[in-house]
Amino acid sequence: MAVRKIITEGDPILRRRAPELDPKELGSEKLDRLIRDMAETMVAAKGVGIAAPQVGESVRVFLADSADGPIALINPVIVKRSKKM
């Protein structure tokens, strides 16, 4: 595992629509390593969530902290939005 550099505002990778992850990649060593790196990076930054583009990977993977530990969301889809935001 490794703590990765967090990409900050102004980097074009944060504005590009990340492609969906191919289901064939689920369970792959590359994806597992990315998720472990994201978890370590999130903890090191004292964050509660992190997306793959924030560590320089343009794929739809998001990690969120929960009471049971980090939860990885692969190809997440927003199904409802608040009118307040």
Side-chain angles (χ1 to χ4, degrees):
M1 293 190 292
V3 174
R4 296 194 185 191
K5 179 182 179 217
I6 295 178
I7 307 296
T8 57
E9 187 177 354
D11 192 297
I13 195 169
L14 299 176
R15 291 284 177 199
R16 285 194 299 257
R17 184 176 176 92
E20 284 190 12
L21 199 62
D22 187 334
K24 295 175 194 170
E25 293 185 56
L26 296 177
S28 72
E29 177 58 33
K30 181 179 177 183
L31 178 58
D32 290 346
R33 187 174 342 118
L34 171 61
I35 291 170
R36 287 191 309 266
D37 288 354
M38 288 173 62
E40 192 169 315
T41 303
M42 181 177 72
V43 169
K46 296 182 173 84
V48 295
I50 193 165
Q54 289 177 285
V55 293
E57 298 288 336
S58 188
V59 292
R60 291 187 196 175
V61 176
F62 174 76
L63 221 63
D65 197 11
S66 76
D68 297 325
I71 298 173
L73 304 171
I74 311 296
N75 296 332
V77 177
I78 297 171
V79 294
K80 185 176 179 181
R81 293 183 183 190
S82 168
K83 292 183 181 185
K84 293 179 183 178
M85 298 184 115

